[in-house]
Amino acid sequence: MSPRGVATPDVSERLFAAAERIVERDGPGALTSRAVTTEAGCAKGLLHAHFAGFDAFVAELCLNRFARTAAKARALSGLVGEGTVAGNLEAVTLALFESGGPSLSGLAMARPAAALRIREALEGGAPGFHAVQEAVTGYLKAEQRLGRVAKTVDPDAVALAVVGAAHHLLLTGWPGAPDPRPSMSRLVKALVGG
């Protein structure tokens, strides 16, 4: 445990990682501010010292993970012409399910104040599913220009289908539910070939 009055490095990420472990291990019902700080091994008041309440913490956790996935999606542009199209696309779509994605999505939806904060942030331009969709579309168009994606493939429709399916699986999953990743892999291969 960090001693009182001593700075805790990278507080947000430490608390976010602790929250993900709790949700993954015990489900969203076990997530409380005390559980998070205990799991993170830090002072009980640290979460509230850095966030304007628990709903703000949950919202920031979700927004942070959306941004992380959007950054992975934007990195697709650097993979044009490398590896396989399906493999590159799968890596991004499967990132949506890392770190308790379904449980975190359910947690945010079950907390109306957190859901409102997330919606407002997304409306204000924070990266979310739309950013992932745009990156996938751009990537597929670039691969199409190289001839690695058939001209008959509609990149906008494929991106919408992949992101929409991931969104559906995230929002309808629960701890202990069947792993959604095999379904996503099959979908990607069906849409772009594999």
Side-chain angles (χ1 to χ4, degrees), residues 23-112:
V23 170
E24 191 71 21
R25 182 183 63 233
D26 305 321
L31 194 66
T32 64
S33 58
R34 182 171 296 271
V36 171
T37 55
T38 298
E39 180 76 21
C42 57
K44 301 296 178 219
L46 190 65
L47 186 144
H48 291 285
H50 283 72
F51 297 93
F54 194 62
D55 286 320
F57 170 76
V58 170
E60 288 302 317
L61 168 60
C62 292
L63 290 166
N64 179 277
R65 293 334 192 212
F66 285 159
R68 181 189 288 181
T69 303
K72 285 183 183 181
R74 285 191 295 274
L76 276 171
S77 64
L79 298 176
V80 174
E82 297 179 16
T84 66
V85 173
N88 293 339
L89 193 52
E90 272 184 63
V92 167
T93 58
L94 296 182
L96 291 165
F97 300 98
E98 291 175 0
S99 301
S103 298
L104 289 177
S105 296
L107 173 67
M109 293 201 45
R111 301 187 68 87

Side-chain angles (χ1 to χ4, degrees), residues 117-186:
R117 285 174 178 263
I118 293 167
R119 188 182 79 225
E120 289 171 346
L122 293 174
E123 287 172 353
F129 285 106
H130 185 70
V132 174
Q133 185 177 336
E134 286 178 348
V136 169
T137 297
Y139 168 72
L140 290 172
K141 286 179 178 179
E143 291 286 19
Q144 208 168 39
R145 286 190 291 275
L146 291 180
R148 289 173 27 110
V149 171
K151 294 288 182 200
T152 55
V153 170
D154 179 344
D156 292 303
V158 169
L160 176 62
V162 167
V163 172
H167 188 251
H168 165 74
L169 291 169
L170 281 168
L171 293 179
T172 59
W174 63 90
D179 185 355
R181 289 175 279 222
S183 296
M184 284 304 301
S185 295
R186 285 192 309 277

